[in-house]
Amino acid sequence: MSNREWENLQTTAKFVRNRLHNKPRIGIILGTALGGLTEEIANPVEIPYAEIPHFLQSTAPAHAGTLIGGEFAGQNVVCMSGRFHYYEGYSFSELALPVRLFKLLGVEIAIITNAAGAINTAYAPGDFMLISDHLNLLAVAPTRGLNLDQLGPRFFDISTVYDLKLRELAFAEANQLHTCLREGVYAFMTGPQFETPAEIRALRVLGADAVGMSTVPEVITAAHCGLPVLGISVITNMAAGILPQDAPLSQVEEVGTEATADLIRLLKGVLNKL
Ligand code: HPA
């Protein structure tokens, strides 16, 4: 990241800070069809991405394009309703922007959600999966290029970015709510095509439990700037080749939308205890 990028980031953060009523403690990124959560945010300030200087635009279906500040479950939050994906044409360094913005706004915990296909055959659509680790087979990094020392060191550890305490808290809440919460490894694939059955078999051998087209660039960025992450996948479908049918594309949005109410309950429980 160059000085120019750092200056742009400061401009972005200053603009957003001036519009928000509170300093957010929790930053939330909502996955496909999970935007319903934003209706639960009290005293919302909505900022369309298009108004934010040097920000990106959402082009993905079932992703709004609004940053929302307000209160959720007793916490000051800032929430991205509509995220950015590599398949939209953004570079990995561009995908670092939202989490870096969180950091500059004062966020202390990032909650990153997504819709994912199950590779683990014990999972079923509608389950939630806590992300305990990920596979980044692309081996690319949003932090590639000149390091921005103001945000974090050149080399950094990401082995504990999926924070154990946050995961324990989420499990305790899920138990109380009788919500089916799995825990597993998320494999990042770029899309926009869904995977081939051979790719899914290969990912299973490599230890993946679910697959999706997001999250990992954001999580690496969070690790770089020292933000702990709670990562939750909503399992919307069985991955390619597991069932004798084509990738059920419409199912992703349907199941995501249906799961939103349970996700809200789970996150409320977690945030109330933070
Ligand atoms: N593959 C990739 N991304 C996805 C899937 C999938 O099966 N389901 C939801 N997002």
Side-chain angles (χ1 to χ4, degrees), residues 116-121 135 137 185-190 193-213 237-243 245-248:
I119 295 176
N120 187 325
T121 53
L135 283 174
L137 296 178
V185 174
Y186 176 89
F188 171 59
M189 296 291 272
T190 61
Q193 77 285 4
F194 276 40
E195 300 68 37
T196 64
E199 285 166 344
I200 294 302
R201 286 195 301 275
L203 289 172
R204 186 179 299 120
V205 169
L206 294 173
D209 296 290
V211 59
M213 306 175 192
N237 57 283
M238 300 311 288
I242 293 179
L243 301 175
Q245 61 183 54
D246 289 350

Side-chain angles (χ1 to χ4, degrees), residues 1 6 9 12-13 26-29 49 55-56 67 78 80 83-84 92-113 142-143 151 161 215-229:
M1 188 186 239
W6 174 241
L9 186 59
T12 306
I26 314 284
I28 305 173
I29 299 182
Y49 294 160
F55 211 55
L56 313 173
L67 191 72
V78 61
M80 300 234 342
R83 67 135 55 85
F84 310 115
F92 272 81
S93 27
E94 287 176 311
L95 296 177
L97 248 174
V99 170
R100 289 184 160 164
L101 172 62
F102 282 177
K103 182 71 181 179
L104 291 195
L105 293 175
V107 162
E108 294 165 25
I109 294 170
I111 298 183
I112 303 186
T113 65
T143 48
L151 283 174
V161 65
T215 300
V216 164
E218 295 144 358
V219 169
I220 297 171
T221 309
H224 178 246
C225 62
L227 270 186
V229 171

